[in-house]
Amino acid sequence: VQLQASGGGLVQAGGSLRLSCAASGRSFSRYVMAWFRQAPGKEREFVAAIGWRAGNIYYADSVKGRFTISRDNAENTVYLQMNSLKPEDTAVYYCAAKRDYYGDYVSSGRSSDFDSWGQGTQVTVSS
């Protein structure tokens, strides 16, 4: 599956952004989809993941209650709604996919478990 992320930008602290990740290829619903982020000088870190089953969602503690991941299998798209943004959320955000029908990898949190990656979209939160 090929992934293309979009929706990043510059926003003030407390603001919101919605990222989108469009997937091409077949059987999108059989993939666990995730968002990761990487700030300058830091390692890539897990943000959120979603399986195809309703409610099979997992968040990093740092974004829980502020970010919401969702997917539209008919549109082959996964979203990340980011509210109450903080300067420490500034990073390049990447979407990733793992072929996993049963959703076992939703709570993985490990970038090495994911097979396909989008190109990244920059999110900058000013204070």
Side-chain angles (χ1 to χ4, degrees), residues 7-111:
L10 173 64
V11 64
Q12 288 188 332
S16 299
L17 280 175
R18 189 176 83 152
L19 305 183
S20 300
C21 177
S24 61
R26 300 169 61 179
S27 303
F28 174 75
S29 63
R30 297 179 182 270
Y31 285 82
V32 168
M33 301 299 298
W35 289 95
F36 288 79
R37 66 187 181 186
Q38 188 166 18
K42 294 188 176 181
E43 294 187 354
R44 190 168 297 188
E45 67 171 355
F46 171 78
V47 176
I50 185 169
W52 74 269
R53 298 176 189 270
N56 193 5
I57 292 174
Y58 186 65
Y59 294 101
D61 287 343
S62 58
V63 306
K64 203 173 293 183
R66 300 187 299 122
F67 291 10
T68 302
I69 189 171
S70 61
R71 67 190 293 164
D72 184 337
N73 289 333
E75 296 294 329
N76 282 12
T77 303
V78 62
Y79 303 97
L80 186 69
Q81 177 66 43
M82 305 185 294
N83 298 330
S84 302
L85 281 161
K86 305 174 181 179
E88 51 263 43
D89 294 318
T90 295
V92 177
Y93 283 71
Y94 298 90
C95 59
K98 168 71 177 178
R99 188 174 178 88
D100 173 23
Y101 180 77
Y102 295 102
D104 294 337
Y105 285 87
V106 168
S107 59
S108 157
R110 293 186 297 269
S111 59

